[in-house]
Amino acid sequence: MSLTAGLPGQLPGQMMDQPLLVSALLAHAERYHADTEIVSRTIEDGSLHRYTYADAARRARRLAKALARLGVRPGERVATLAWNGYRHFELYYAISGSGAVLHTVNPRLFPEQIAWIINDAEDGVVFFDLTFAPLIEKLAPQCPAVRHWVAMSDRAHRPSAAIPRLGCYEDLLAAEDDDYAWPQFDERAASALCYTSGTTGNPKGVLYSHRSVLLHCYASCLPDVFGFSARDCILPVVPMFHVNAWTIPYSAPMVGAKLVLPGAALDGPSLCELFEAEGVTFTGGVPTVWQGILQHLQKTGGKPTTLKRGVMGGSAAPPALMETFARDYGVQIDHAWGMTELSPLGVYNREKRKHGGLDDEARRALAAKQGRPPFGVEMKIVDAQGRTLPNDGEAVGELLVRGHWVVGQYFNVGAPTLRDGWFPTGDVGSIDADGYLWITDRAKDVIKSGGEWIGSIELENLACAHPAVAQAAVIGVAHPKWDERPLLVIVPKTGQRPSREELLAWYEGKIAKWWTPDDVVFVEQLPLTATGKISKLQLREQFRDHRLPGAAGG
Ligand code: ADP
């Protein structure tokens, strides 16, 4: 965190000292990509709203003035509970650009958790989409410090719910003009706050700076990462309340790409409709979102005509899913790993020049890995004693990272977050000599069998490659002899009913025999977390008493 002091005798550089500020991104897009569109599916009636970067910039300036009129001070936290849409986009810039802190709250969390987060962040104003009016009605009495609750709508759609100190977004804007200059300040100032979902314990806040966001944004646009350009049309399915939608609301204006914001409709049919209608070239989401897109395409026999690339992250990307998109639809999906604490980019999977000659199998094995770090992220793996393990693609240990956009300390948490200057991620994996990371598990999901570890991700990936399997999860279940043994939980493809024996036989020759799950259960759907990932916590709860065959007395 500390600034490095100069060495004796050094000369100061003589270049302009312009701070890296979030507002500069929108100012850039307004100047040089004025007529590039932002298209949003509205919450009011699902119709499409369409305007340009120039329009968005003008409205963001009016909103910055409205925030000042509401008494928002620099450094104060202003929350949003909102889908991906143009008003949310404007809030991203008006709040951070005026020197306050954008606090994106995940509306899918439990109401008690949301109230806890709003109070912990000490949000002065909360903006919300109409969908969440009933939720806000419940939250308001628990959050007395919130001075204003603002519905993100026009007057005609203002909610009738009993919400105290209720304002209306379009009324606030109507009262202002756009004669406003974005203030200049230290780039190390906080720009945004995002809480981790807190699957165990209370959620923890990560406070991004303008500098960390801008550097992350530059890195994410590199050709070996998202590779965005002014010829792209980007649809972030990943919500703007989840790690700033992987910073796409910042990187799209940075490069002048068209932006398509899908609102609340994140199902396969609605997304595919937008892909075609708007000419989307790139999209990104967690595996369950891609699964929904695939199911729709397979059902309708449709084929995306403009979508060529995408990213899958947030949890391990099943190779079979990526391969199907590449083979059947010509869509190249890259695997990426990150977390809220990394803004979120940690690694991204693109091949190197030397991989040009790889055969299909080696290429598949490489693509299954999470990827390698762009400049700006360093990683290492350590053993239980904290000793650094070799980057040989074999040794497996806890993953530690550091870099320009990695958390230094959690918000409002006194205890140190770092270990010797490194952030412990809680993920477990290996790193090969080329820097490719292979996550075997989250530390808390690892299956501990007879003192050895079984990584659930590889077992899930293999199961997903079975032709009758739509989704798979592997969890550890108590076993009297081995402590834990793997249980395979399967959602079969529609109309398919593979047998337990057939699925277990599928693993033969593909993994060490003792890794083979002890049992298989079939379910209609898997429980999801607030960020749309398969919830291992809930699954473990659900199958806590599952009796494994042969586990006498277990
Ligand atoms: P949340 O825990 O709220 O879902 P994060 O997005 O911060 O929020 O979750 C980060 C975690 O998600 C990582 O620590 C890792 O365990 C998991 N993860 C993210 N991307 C991948 C990936 N490509 N492969 C495996 N695990 C992943």
Side-chain angles (χ1 to χ4, degrees):
M1 296 294 278
S2 67
L3 288 180
T4 347
L7 301 174
Q10 271 189 313
L11 293 180
Q14 292 183 328
M15 307 309 282
M16 287 186 194
D17 197 6
Q18 277 205 18
L20 296 166
L21 299 181
V22 161
S23 56
L25 294 167
L26 189 56
H28 168 81
E30 182 181 21
R31 218 172 282 132
Y32 304 115
H33 303 279
D35 61 356
T36 299
E37 278 184 311
I38 301 177
V39 178
S40 314
R41 200 186 283 284
T42 59
I43 307 304
E44 287 89 336
D45 58 8
S47 62
L48 294 185
H49 171 277
R50 173 183 300 280
Y51 71 171
T52 64
Y53 277 123
D55 299 326
R58 277 193 291 271
R59 280 172 53 94
R61 287 198 296 273
R62 280 161 63 178
L63 183 57
K65 289 180 99 165
L67 290 172
R69 201 180 288 272
L70 290 178
V72 172
R73 300 172 308 276
E76 183 169 15
R77 273 73 66 204
V78 176
T80 59
L81 275 117
W83 302 107
N84 294 6
Y86 66 102
R87 292 191 183 105
H88 205 178
F89 180 85
E90 292 160 6
L91 284 159
Y92 260 55
Y93 286 92
I95 297 171
S96 306
S98 62
V101 179
L102 165 79
H103 174 203
T104 50
V105 182
N106 184 342
R108 292 185 185 138
L109 294 172
F110 293 116
E112 309 77 60
Q113 255 181 334
I114 298 180
W116 186 91
I117 288 175
I118 290 177
N119 291 331
D120 187 62
E122 296 176 70
D123 296 321
V125 182
V126 177
F127 287 82
F128 62 94
D129 265 336
L130 293 177
T131 326
F132 307 117
L135 173 65
I136 299 291
E137 197 176 350
K138 271 195 233 130
L139 289 175
Q142 301 173 54
C143 305
V146 174
R147 300 194 306 278
H148 303 280
W149 301 90
V150 183
M152 292 162 67
S153 73
D154 54 18
R155 177 166 292 210
H157 292 90
R158 197 172 183 268
S160 56
I163 298 169
R165 307 179 296 285
L166 178 64
C168 170
Y169 191 96
E170 292 302 332
D171 284 357
L172 291 181
L173 251 71
E176 310 295 337
D177 60 36
D178 63 12
D179 181 17
Y180 177 86
W182 296 112
Q184 299 295 297
F185 44 78
D186 189 337
E187 66 192 25
R188 289 174 182 79
S191 66
L193 176 63
C194 201
Y195 281 72
T196 61
S197 336
T199 34
T200 50
N202 275 329
K204 290 197 279 287
V206 180
L207 191 59
Y208 307 116
S209 68
H210 285 259
R211 173 187 155 84
S212 70
V213 168
L214 271 271
L215 292 176
H216 180 279
C217 226
Y218 271 120
S220 72
C221 290
L222 286 170
D224 272 0
V225 188
F226 295 152
F228 289 157
S229 81
R231 291 165 300 287
D232 273 315
C233 173
I234 307 166
L235 187 156
V237 185
V238 50
M240 287 165 76
F241 55 74
H242 186 211
V243 221
N244 300 328
W246 300 347
T247 72
I248 290 171
Y250 302 117
S251 43
M254 177 180 257
V255 300
K258 176 176 170 181
L259 196 53
V260 180
L261 302 172
L266 305 179
D267 54 286
S270 307
L271 291 173
C272 288
E273 186 191 314
L274 278 181
F275 293 162
E276 290 309 296
E278 300 303 325
V280 171
T281 58
F282 185 102
T283 189
V286 292
T288 44
V289 161
W290 284 104
Q291 200 81 49
I293 296 171
L294 180 64
Q295 267 166 18
H296 176 69
L297 293 174
Q298 288 180 333
K299 197 163 130 200
T300 58
K303 205 166 182 169
T305 53
T306 57
L307 186 69
K308 294 290 169 237
R309 294 182 304 124
V311 57
M312 179 152 29
S315 48
L321 188 54
M322 295 192 281
E323 281 160 32
T324 306
F325 269 99
R327 187 190 58 236
D328 297 351
Y329 301 103
V331 179
Q332 184 200 323
I333 307 178
D334 298 319
H335 195 180
W337 166 88
M339 56 198 307
T340 306
E341 289 88 337
L342 272 77
S343 313
L345 177 61
V347 301
Y348 202 90
N349 196 334
R350 298 302 298 272
E351 290 179 3
K352 295 185 177 184
R353 183 177 166 79
K354 70 179 193 182
H355 295 133
L358 289 183
D359 61 28
D360 285 354
E361 201 182 322
R363 177 157 281 146
R364 259 201 298 275
L366 182 66
K369 295 191 171 188
Q370 274 68 12
R372 59 189 159 84
F375 169 75
V377 175
E378 270 180 273
M379 347 177 262
K380 65 173 178 179
I381 47 169
V382 297
D383 65 13
Q385 285 72 44
R387 287 177 303 226
T388 302
L389 295 167
N391 288 359
D392 58 6
E394 297 286 330
V396 169
E398 186 187 358
L399 177 67
L400 272 54
V401 294
R402 65 180 180 194
H404 302 306
W405 49 84
V406 178
V407 71
Q409 188 181 331
Y410 286 111
F411 184 67
N412 269 350
V413 174
T417 309
L418 303 187
R419 234 188 267 160
D420 296 332
W422 292 78
F423 171 70
T425 62
D427 282 336
V428 174
S430 66
I431 304 173
D432 70 19
D434 289 319
Y436 287 82
L437 171 71
W438 165 240
I439 300 268
T440 51
D441 236 323
R442 253 184 176 184
K444 47 182 182 284
D445 294 336
V446 157
I447 299 158
K448 300 186 184 78
S449 174
E452 302 273 357
W453 285 3
I454 298 178
S456 62
I457 294 178
E458 191 169 352
L459 296 178
E460 289 161 3
N461 284 349
L462 285 168
C464 285
H466 188 283
V469 171
Q471 282 180 298
V474 176
I475 51 166
V477 174
H479 188 284
K481 179 162 176 208
W482 303 109
D483 291 338
E484 277 185 341
R485 288 295 302 159
L487 171 69
L488 173 62
V489 187
I490 290 290
V491 180
K493 281 192 183 149
T494 320
Q496 305 263 14
R497 184 71 204 196
S499 70
R500 170 185 183 276
E501 290 65 34
E502 177 188 348
L503 287 167
L504 295 181
W506 178 252
Y507 284 111
E508 265 168 42
K510 299 188 174 94
I511 46 164
K513 207 167 167 40
W514 64 276
W515 274 47
T516 310
D518 279 23
D519 205 1
V520 186
V521 287
F522 299 89
V523 293
E524 266 170 35
Q525 59 185 38
L526 293 167
L528 298 184
T529 68
T531 44
K533 308 176 189 183
I534 294 168
S535 173
K536 297 275 181 87
L537 196 74
Q538 263 175 273
L539 273 181
R540 278 195 292 265
E541 195 57 29
Q542 194 175 332
F543 292 103
R544 204 181 36 192
D545 300 326
H546 183 83
R547 180 81 60 91
L548 295 168

